[in-house]
Amino acid sequence: MKPWLKYSIVRLGLFAVVLGLLLVLRFDPFWATLIAAVVGFCVSYLFFAPLRRKVALDLADRRSRPAKLDDDSVAEDEAIAEDAGDADRARRLDGQA
């Protein structure tokens, strides 16, 4: 299972359990939701650091990989580079005249 999915499920599960417990204890739904969010944040921050670290490493790994370009994207990039090169050449020629 992907680390970010596992971490999200654990955090949402913790939030749901705390919210359910508070609602069973007859807390006001607004305050129960607010307290469940704060408790879920604090518990996940303190006790789920290894999961959070795995998520961060997975995201960093994904970010560092080069994007795969399809043929259309490559052709568009080349066309833009050619247009930019033509514009640079024109500027240089105008500057010499």
Side-chain angles (χ1 to χ4, degrees):
M1 183 183 288
K2 296 185 181 200
W4 62 268
L5 184 61
K6 188 175 183 179
Y7 183 66
S8 297
I9 289 172
V10 168
R11 285 195 67 183
L12 287 172
L14 178 65
F15 172 78
V17 167
V18 173
L19 180 62
L21 181 66
L22 291 174
L23 290 176
V24 166
L25 294 175
R26 311 286 245 164
F27 273 76
D28 178 33
F30 174 77
W31 291 109
T33 305
L34 190 64
I35 291 169
V38 170
V39 168
F41 171 75
C42 292
V43 169
S44 67
Y45 185 76
L46 293 173
F47 297 108
F48 301 148
L51 276 175
R52 192 173 59 249
R53 195 171 301 112
K54 287 180 185 176
V55 171
L57 290 173
D58 184 51
L59 290 173
D61 180 49
R62 263 197 248 172
R63 184 78 175 137
S64 66
R65 279 188 246 147
K68 296 179 182 177
L69 298 176
D70 58 355
D71 293 336
D72 288 338
S73 297
V74 172
E76 288 173 359
D77 290 346
E78 289 173 357
I80 290 172
E82 287 176 12
D83 289 346
D86 291 343
D88 287 340
R89 252 183 269 128
R91 272 191 233 119
R92 276 188 257 132
L93 290 175
D94 286 342
Q96 291 175 355

